[in-house]
């Protein structure tokens, strides 16, 4: 992975503990309120040259997309989603990547809605190997 130009110029970006997110599927570790992501939601990540994007769906989410950047083990992205009730929502999230002992990835997220009131924190991670990450 290439380091974004701003990080390269400053020389302050630490070596990331987590490899590329490209091709990884992550799931929330706890349920959320209606209209938000929940344990049935699946995030399908891509990453290239400091850019990160994902699509997500499942549970109350029909279609969701996120786009942003990665610097070391820090993510900064915006997200937008269509819910099963026909409403839309958008927000901003900052995440910290963590490498789990078994090689899986976990993201600790702090988010806030931009389309309405509300903020919080959440955790998503790769499911244990041998489990099916596809939402039912």
């Amino acid at each position: 992975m290439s380091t974004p130009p701003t990080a390269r110029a400053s020389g302050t970006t630490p070596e990331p503990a987590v490899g590329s997110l490209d091709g990884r599927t992550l799931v929330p570790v706890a349920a959320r309120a209606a209209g938000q992501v929940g344990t049935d939601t699946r995030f399908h990540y891509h990453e290239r040259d400091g850019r990160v994007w994902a699509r997500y769906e499942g549970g109350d989410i029909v279609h969701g997309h996120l786009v942003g950047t990665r610097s070391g083990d820090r993510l900064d992205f915006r997200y937008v989603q269509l819910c099963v009730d026909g409403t839309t929502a958008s927000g901003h999230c900052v995440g910290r990547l963590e490498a789990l002992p078994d090689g899986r990835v976990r993201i600790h997220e702090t988010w806030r809605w931009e389309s309405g009131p509300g903020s919080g924190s959440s955790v998503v991670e790769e499911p244990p190997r041998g489990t099916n990450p596809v939402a039912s």
Side-chain angles (χ1 to χ4, degrees), residues 5-111:
T6 54
R8 230 187 341 260
S10 69
T12 60
T13 302
E15 186 66 28
V18 173
S20 177
L21 292 174
D22 199 53
R24 295 183 191 249
T25 297
L26 282 75
V27 300
V29 298
R32 291 298 201 200
Q36 297 181 14
V37 299
T39 55
D40 291 335
T41 309
R42 301 296 179 259
F43 293 82
H44 308 282
Y45 279 87
H46 301 279
E47 179 179 352
R48 194 163 292 116
D49 297 326
R51 298 181 309 266
V52 175
W53 65 100
R55 67 178 169 78
Y56 60 98
E57 70 278 322
D60 289 335
I61 309 300
V62 177
H63 297 290
H65 297 276
L66 65 84
V67 295
T69 58
R70 176 178 177 181
S71 179
D73 287 325
R74 183 180 185 275
L75 300 175
D76 189 327
F77 60 83
R78 294 281 192 299
Y79 55 91
V80 61
Q81 62 193 37
L82 171 65
C83 300
V84 295
D85 65 4
T87 60
T88 61
S90 62
H92 177 242
C93 182
V94 174
R96 180 181 52 82
L97 291 158
E98 174 188 6
L100 298 175
D102 62 3
R104 295 180 301 131
V105 172
R106 179 180 290 155
I107 306 174
H108 301 268
E109 302 173 325
T110 301
W111 52 268

